[in-house]
Amino acid sequence: AQTVTQSQPEMSVQEAETVTLSCTYDTSESDYYLFWYKQPPSRQMILVIRQEAYKQQNATENRFSVNFQKAAKSFSLKISDSQLGDAAMYFCAGGVDSNYQLIWGAGTKLIIKP
Amino acid sequence: GAVVSQHPSRVICKSGTSVKIECRSLDFQATTMFWYRQFPKQSLMLMATSNEGSKATYEQGVEKDKFLINHASLTLSTLTVTSAHPEDSSFYICSARDPGGGIQETQYFGPGTRLLVL
């Protein structure tokens, strides 16, 4: 069985500062994939960043980067230079090869303070 | 690339009627599409996995006779809510997997459909 846990229901950060959102992913599979999706008020789910578990190097996409600690089952998302447009719900998700389904965390609401 | 459209974006219907929601992959062929339901302030709840040319696989607790899914082509999947009732009111989201897009588990999402049953 796979589980995804996001323990922060809400986070807030000052504009231009850095914030880290936490996620843990537990699976018995050795090969899996992890994702962070953003859902702004429009409710359109947008892929932010993705990571293959077998890769040592942490993924980065401009201001977004992950800190993947495989042994600790931790997959945190760091947002640098936070912008007002980053305000959204952020969902962590994980999946394995066998069925392509994703298991979703409960989400973290990110508030950006101007 | 990897754009998914969903239509309609919003629908209001009377109790007892059926509603069809379309999900299209615009610039790739999607062998697998997913249908989710999302309640306010909650995460996504997977309803079913739709594979082109075969029957959909429904998650436990989802009535397959009520939520009919058809994936007749590599770019189109439809969800029909039959005999809709007020408790079916929700936000329905589809996603599609792009088999040629790098990490194959990546899902690309449509903008969602807000269904209100009166």
Side-chain angles (χ1 to χ4, degrees), chain B:
Chain B
V3 178
V4 177
S5 70
Q6 195 171 334
H7 178 80
S9 59
R10 193 171 192 171
V11 57
I12 302 172
C13 69
K14 292 183 179 179
S15 185
T17 61
S18 294
V19 174
K20 179 185 283 189
I21 303 170
E22 293 187 347
C23 179
R24 294 181 186 272
S25 57
L26 298 185
D27 51 0
F28 65 98
Q29 293 185 327
T31 52
T32 307
M33 289 184 171
F34 303 89
W35 286 96
Y36 293 90
R37 186 170 177 176
Q38 187 178 34
F39 293 100
K41 299 185 179 181
Q42 292 191 22
S43 187
L44 301 180
M45 183 188 80
L46 179 65
M47 299 175 66
T49 302
S50 168
N51 291 299
E52 187 267 336
S54 63
K55 290 183 179 180
T57 302
Y58 290 82
E59 295 301 300
Q60 192 173 5
V62 178
E63 299 176 57
K64 61 181 181 181
D65 294 330
K66 180 166 190 61
F67 298 100
L68 299 179
I69 292 171
N70 184 281
H71 193 158
S73 79
L74 286 172
T75 59
L76 174 64
S77 176
T78 60
L79 167 68
T80 301
V81 183
T82 62
S83 185
H85 288 96
E87 58 266 29
D88 298 324
S89 299
S90 192
F91 191 66
Y92 293 88
I93 311 176
C94 73
S95 71
R97 185 178 70 86
D98 179 3
I103 298 178
Q104 294 197 22
E105 287 68 16
T106 304
Q107 292 182 22
Y108 298 94
F109 286 82
T113 297
R114 188 180 303 276
L115 170 64
L116 177 61
V117 185
L118 302 177

